[in-house]
Amino acid sequence: MPNIVVIGAQWGDEGKGRIVDLLSKGVDIVARYQGGNNAGHTIVIGEEKVILHHLPSGILRENKLSVIGNGVVVDPGVLLKEVAGLRAAGYRVDSSNLRISDRTHIIMPYHREIDVAREALKGEGKIGTTGRGIGPVYEDKAARRGIKLADLIDPECFRERLADVLEERNAYITKVLGGEPLSFDSIYEEYSEYGEILKEFSCDVSGLLNKALSEGGSILFEGAQGALLDIDLGTYPYVTSSSASSGGACTGTGVSPTKIDVVLGVAKAYTTRVGEGPFPSEIHGDEGKRLRDAGAEYGSTTGRPRRCGWFDAVALRYAATTNGISSLAITKLDVLSGFESINMCVGYKYRGETLTTFPSSCSALAECEPVYEEVPGWSENVSDVTEFEELPEGARNYIRKIEELTGVGVHAVSLGPSREKILFLSELA
Ligand code: GDP
Ligand code: IMO
Ligand code: MG
């Protein structure tokens, strides 16, 4: 099996969890490389639905190792609840199938506090974050005042680091955000306990992965957010604070780019976005609601209604180029059944010009009007189709059109949330 990076090719919630769960059957290790519990990855197995926030989407497969890389940020309380929930549902989660990089940064109570307070202060100009402390924890990492898992599990080191950081962060919370200072003692007590429990999971993930590779093992790298939410290449500032792009798989796990064989981009047959920020192909009003209802488009983490829009070939081409997407998995094609005609965004009108490339400036993107090509839809329910050739002509043409517009071959088409609702069109390239 090749070493695969699976990334979301849009603004998130493309069905990454569903695709990782599927492909994890064929690899030895699934590695999460960025993001934290802002992610919500849904996996449906029979009648059972599991939403994973921290754990890699390979955790539900027996005999697979799941690892959390150094690029991820971990909220220990949330992680341990997630582990307890899976154990209660009968899944095995222990240090034989879950390891966490000792370089992983820890989400602390002040990160959540700052995230929520800042958003409230910004009002209209907010990012629309998940409120999980993600921006502030990555900010501390970059500012070199973060607390890593290695620090947390060493009581003396943790005491020193926390005392240092909390003084600085409390000054910010009280003087700038007008909040109450957080107590050293209660954080120290709670988080020391987490450190004690997490000790058994902590390891040098880069060393573990590189050893596995040298012994012929295969790895699936799981991106948490979508490529357009990447801190460098996304629609900044309306992004998350980590490297969701394929390059993040290397910096977020300590595995070299030369070890990666395939980058699979997961994209919905249409587009959604949660939170603020420009979205040229967004559909407002009743038709947007129709798509939201048909696709059950409500956030897996916050429950917020997702903004819905047509497939955007300009944005996807950009994601394909910047991430080296070598194959696509198109999800939720079933949701488009019943639309008489479907719009595909093939360009942007910007100040009298037609753009076919994705602008780097967010304010320019906000001014862009979509240029649509209207294609015929199909009325048939496609959920039970098992061969690509059995899909209605409109659905087949739609997939072929996506390939033509993006220049990337479609490896798989998903027709439902559960494992078996998938059509494979070509080998994974
Ligand atoms: P992720 O964050 O990229 O893993 O995606 P989410 O889990 O947040 O959102 C995707 C949603 O679509 C979940 O509720 C999935 O169960 C569901 N889903 C995934 N693939 C399909 C599909 O092909 N058809 C339908 N109808 N639902 C799907
Ligand atoms: P999955 O893994 C959709 C969005 C938030 C907000 C922005 C910044 O389920 O695809 P943050 O809390 O990260 O600082 O918020 O990023 N966002 C997501 N949108 N799916 C996600 O994860 C997201 N994770 C973050 O809505 O606009
Ligand atoms: Mg999600």
Side-chain angles (χ1 to χ4, degrees):
M1 190 79 173
N3 297 311
I4 311 163
V5 179
V6 175
I7 59 155
Q10 295 160 322
W11 278 286
D13 306 322
E14 298 90 348
K16 298 176 287 295
R18 183 247 187 291
I19 297 295
V20 171
D21 167 65
L22 201 72
L23 296 178
S24 61
K25 193 171 175 211
V27 298
D28 300 298
I29 303 177
V30 178
R32 264 280 296 268
Y33 63 84
Q34 51 81 220
N37 54 322
N38 46 349
H41 295 181
T42 314
I43 299 169
V44 176
I45 306 171
E47 297 297 299
E48 190 184 9
K49 175 168 153 177
V50 177
I51 299 178
L52 298 170
H53 299 288
H54 262 319
L55 294 168
S57 302
I59 198 75
L60 306 185
R61 295 261 182 204
E62 275 187 35
N63 305 320
K64 305 290 171 190
L65 178 63
S66 289
V67 305
I68 292 179
N70 57 276
V72 176
V73 286
V74 165
D75 187 322
V78 175
L79 173 73
L80 292 172
K81 261 201 203 119
E82 201 167 310
V83 168
L86 285 188
R87 284 177 178 160
Y91 292 96
R92 181 170 58 95
V93 187
D94 56 34
S95 58
S96 70
N97 68 341
L98 174 68
R99 306 312 297 273
I100 307 172
S101 168
D102 52 7
R103 291 186 164 95
T104 299
H105 280 248
I106 303 296
I107 302 173
M108 302 295 290
Y110 44 85
H111 293 132
R112 293 190 298 268
E113 173 106 5
I114 293 171
D115 192 2
V116 172
R118 267 197 199 140
E119 286 280 280
L121 278 178
K122 277 188 188 146
E124 287 273 292
K126 68 180 195 284
I127 304 284
T129 74
T130 57
R132 303 299 193 259
I134 305 299
V137 67
Y138 279 112
E139 209 173 299
D140 278 1
K141 175 177 174 175
R144 294 163 292 185
R145 60 170 174 244
I147 295 178
K148 298 195 289 187
L149 181 58
D151 307 325
L152 185 73
I153 62 181
D154 174 341
E156 267 328 292
C157 174
F158 180 45
R159 179 180 290 281
E160 247 174 64
R161 299 278 307 147
L162 181 64
D164 220 32
V165 181
L166 192 61
E167 192 183 340
E168 203 271 352
R169 294 287 76 190
N170 267 342
Y172 179 73
I173 289 170
T174 52
K175 292 184 186 146
V176 179
L177 300 176
E180 292 298 317
L182 276 68
S183 144
F184 174 90
D185 289 341
S186 69
I187 298 179
Y188 185 74
E189 195 184 327
E190 181 185 354
Y191 280 69
S192 294
E193 272 177 37
Y194 292 146
E196 208 36 56
I197 304 170
L198 290 179
K199 215 185 254 172
E200 66 160 314
F201 297 99
S202 166
C203 82
D204 168 11
V205 158
S206 169
L208 181 154
L209 294 178
N210 282 297
K211 181 163 179 290
L213 286 171
S214 70
E215 291 167 353
S218 55
I219 304 173
L220 190 159
F221 300 86
E222 176 180 14
Q225 277 71 41
L228 299 177
L229 290 175
D230 180 276
I231 182 76
D232 289 285
L233 296 161
T235 48
Y236 191 90
Y238 297 99
V239 291
T240 191
S241 298
S242 64
S243 301
S245 295
S246 57
C250 298
T251 54
T253 60
V255 170
S256 127
T258 55
K259 301 290 195 301
I260 300 203
D261 304 300
V262 168
V263 179
L264 178 74
V266 184
K268 273 179 195 167
Y270 48 96
T271 314
T272 61
R273 177 162 203 174
V274 192
E276 309 304 315
F279 179 0
S281 66
E282 181 168 12
I283 314 169
H284 301 276
D286 285 350
E287 208 163 28
K289 187 175 175 312
R290 182 177 167 195
L291 204 46
R292 182 178 308 124
D293 290 345
E297 294 295 354
Y298 294 87
S300 314
T301 299
T302 57
R304 289 178 287 179
R306 294 175 181 148
R307 298 157 66 191
C308 295
W310 297 115
F311 182 84
D312 184 340
V314 184
L316 200 66
R317 249 192 331 259
Y318 170 74
T321 309
T322 47
N323 290 279
I325 293 176
S326 47
S327 276
L328 284 170
I330 301 297
T331 60
K332 298 194 126 172
L333 187 70
D334 53 304
V335 172
L336 292 181
S337 286
F339 281 84
E340 213 164 83
S341 70
I342 301 170
N343 285 329
M344 301 181 87
C345 175
V346 295
Y348 299 146
K349 271 263 178 276
Y350 175 67
R351 299 191 177 178
E353 270 181 69
T354 302
L355 306 181
T356 52
T357 55
F358 199 66
S360 17
S361 143
C362 198
S363 52
L365 189 64
E367 275 187 51
C368 287
E369 292 291 331
V371 177
Y372 286 127
E373 206 173 303
E374 195 178 331
V375 298
W378 58 94
S379 56
E380 299 89 331
N381 179 336
V382 295
S383 308
D384 294 325
V385 170
T386 53
E387 297 289 334
F388 182 71
E389 293 311 322
E390 287 170 17
L391 283 173
E393 190 185 3
R396 273 182 283 127
N397 288 344
Y398 188 70
I399 294 295
R400 294 305 179 206
K401 187 80 186 171
I402 289 177
E403 290 184 317
E404 185 192 313
L405 289 171
T406 58
V408 186
V410 171
H411 163 64
V413 175
S414 171
L415 302 174
S418 55
R419 279 181 174 166
E420 68 286 358
K421 303 268 180 200
I422 189 108
L423 310 176
F424 293 104
L425 276 62
S426 61
E427 290 299 306
L428 197 53

